[in-house]
Amino acid sequence: MTNLRTLYHPAMYDPAPVPSYWEATAPGDDPSWRPLEGDDSCDVAIIGGGYTGLSTALHLARDHGIDARVLEAGDRIGWGASGRNGGFCCMPATKLTVAQMTRRFGLDETKRFFASQIEGVEFTRALIADNDIDCDPCGDGIYEVAHRPRAFGELKEYGETLERLFGIESTLYSPDEFREIGHDSTEQHGALKVSPSFALHPMKFVHGLARTAAKAGATLHPGSLVTRWLKEGDGHILTTARGTLRAKRIVVAANGFLRERMHRDFDGRVLPVISNIVTTRPLTATELAAQSWKTDCPLVNTRQLLFYYRMLPDNRLMLGARGDLTGSPADGDRMRAWMTRRVGEVFPAWRDVEIDHFWRGFVCISQRLAPSVGQLPDDSSVFYGFGYHANGVNTAPWTGMQVAAMIAGKTSEADLPAVIRGLPTRFPFAGLRLKYLAAAYRWYAFKDD
Ligand SMILES: Cc1cc2nc3c(=O)[nH]c(=O)nc-3n(C[C@H](O)[C@H](O)[C@H](O)COP(=O)(O)OP(=O)(O)OC[C@H]3O[C@@H](n4cnc5c(N)ncnc54)[C@H](O)[C@@H]3O)c2cc1C
């Protein structure tokens, strides 16, 4: 029995592999990765086997010679958001505008944050190259596509700000220019290309990361939900269904799949938000031409309730959108139907194209509207990294490397950019989080029209 609490329908936490396109096209787990059994001990126990946890384990084992174990609730390593996302390796991992961030943290710290975000994209790219991870990287930037004419001016201003303040390369394309290199659509009114950014196969990437971490000496345990966490002296005892693990230090890398009442310091600090993805069957050359589709770069539109989309290497359209407020299978069916209809509205030539896959998962939002990385103030043996605001592909592997360096005593929380340093504040009346989200959705839908 466990007294862990979750915000959404139990279906969202079912540990079985999700029926995603990524799952259907990635290699299986290594048979040596087994659930934790019996009593064992280690130096660092990591809760969560996604990009954050695996990168922490890899860097602890390889760069610092520290014994690390990863406990993953899902039946498969990378079962959480890391194996289900859109594969966009882009930036920034924040919902703050540049002006808001500058007001709150000052221009120098805002610049440090953006520099760390660029570093994150290059860090993920280097992890792939240096460890021969076969994960289909593609594209040389991300396109932000104006969904209505007046958004084009806003994109122009945004691109100028990125270049002027942070030296981030951006190129603006009129609707006609973008039709020649990108695509046509009822919601295409010009686009801004931002680099560095690219796309990858997220499940192949998470498994490549897992294999690399295991090769470096880390131990991986899928099927090992931590149901209880006790402090004993200076150490910790984590309990799973079939075992217990004693550890000197703990890393919380559970992101949007964090269960509450596992450790009170983390309760009420995150808001998991459902993101959904559909993929079509492979499109023919004639069908691609009907929407003037040319690009292998990832794309997002300028809606607050945005669409993120890309053409996969086998010519399937992948399109993602934020979701419902329950996570129930019935609401999942409604989301799938709505997204199928929206594919046809945004790309009319593909109105009748079959949808082959639909799946969903949690992105992780916090009150600070930016990631949170650090060490608990009242227990220096507990570390964490979470809250990437749907930009974990570039931020989470980099965060894992930072957390490993902190554990090894090479850096400290104070060295991180102020924007991401320390815990976010708790949501006031945290039990009302989904009500706040419902209100935000209504406001965003109003602004998007
Ligand atoms: C549909 C979708 C689309 C997205 N698209 C993008 C995108 O295109 N680009 C991008 O950058 N980001 C995207 N994201 C976000 C991105 O996937 C995440 O930011 C990133 O994967 C976070 O990595 P993580 O390791 O911190 O968390 P996760 O990968 O979620 O891993 C956390 C793990 O912790 C485990 N866990 C939780 N509690 C326990 C416990 N008690 N015991 C043991 N294990 C536990 C969970 O099972 C989970 O696997 C998307 C997310 C979703 C859901």
Side-chain angles (χ1 to χ4, degrees), residues 120-143:
V121 175
E122 298 306 349
F123 187 77
T124 295
R125 202 196 300 276
L127 267 178
I128 295 167
D130 297 348
N131 300 293
D132 291 325
I133 298 179
D134 173 14
C135 62
D136 314 330
C138 61
D140 61 353
I142 183 168
Y143 289 108

Side-chain angles (χ1 to χ4, degrees), residues 4 47-54 71-74 76 78-90 224-227 253-259 262 273 275-277 308 318 322 359-364 385-386 388-396:
L4 297 180
I47 304 173
Y51 301 143
T52 306
L54 294 167
L71 299 172
E72 166 53 45
R76 208 161 160 9
W79 169 88
S82 297
R84 319 181 185 193
N85 62 70
F88 289 38
C89 188
C90 55
S224 302
L225 172 72
V226 174
T227 52
N255 209 43
F257 287 89
L258 179 90
R259 273 72 163 172
M262 181 175 73
V273 174
S275 197
N276 305 271
I277 293 182
Y308 52 99
M318 185 213 91
R322 294 287 176 268
W359 69 95
R360 53 225 238 108
F362 293 126
V363 299
C364 186
F386 60 83
Y388 307 116
H389 293 79
N391 274 266
V393 178
N394 76 321
T395 315

